[in-house]
Amino acid sequence: MNIISCPTCGRTEINIIGLAQEVERRLAHITEPITVAVMGCVVNGPGEAREAHVGIAGGRGVGLLFKQGEIVTKLSEAELADVLVKEVEEIVKKQKSEARSQKSE
């Protein structure tokens, strides 16, 4: 797994460091090739989040959830980690299921 996160700057309007650390900790068990973006602003965040399998781009106490390049929903800052982790785990589960299906063909 590859987590992309911004280094923070004056545009960051969520606790991006804490969020990135929590996401990294909660997804440490993931070994599949998946890219997760945890971005802290509306300037560069959407671009990075769109390029990842799944990602968030923070705003003023909120964040947009992106999946496969598309905006899925807008969430409160408090919801971001839980929803992002759930999305990653669902993607990995789907990847594993598809891999098993291909092996059995």
Side-chain angles (χ1 to χ4, degrees):
M1 181 183 60
N2 183 30
I3 295 180
I4 299 168
S5 185
C6 61
T8 75
C9 70
R11 294 186 299 250
T12 303
E13 297 184 281
I14 61 172
N15 177 8
I16 192 64
I17 293 173
L19 179 61
Q21 289 172 337
E22 180 178 354
V23 168
E24 185 175 34
R25 178 184 54 78
R26 291 175 61 183
L27 295 176
H29 64 284
I30 303 292
T31 58
E32 286 71 22
I34 184 170
T35 300
V36 179
V38 182
M39 306 304 291
C41 79
V42 298
V43 177
N44 296 319
E48 292 290 341
R50 277 190 180 94
E51 296 297 318
H53 289 94
V54 64
I56 57 103
R60 195 168 282 154
V62 297
L64 294 176
L65 176 71
F66 290 82
K67 189 172 177 183
Q68 301 298 326
E70 301 293 325
I71 296 173
V72 176
T73 191
K74 184 176 181 180
L75 302 162
S76 72
E77 183 175 353
E79 299 173 288
L80 292 173
D82 289 340
V83 174
L84 186 59
V85 167
K86 181 180 175 191
E87 289 291 333
V88 170
E89 289 174 341
E90 286 179 8
I91 290 169
V92 169
K93 183 177 178 181
K94 183 178 177 185
Q95 285 178 349
K96 287 180 178 180
S97 176
E98 289 172 355
R100 282 192 300 271
S101 178
Q102 288 177 354
K103 284 183 181 179
S104 65
E105 291 178 358

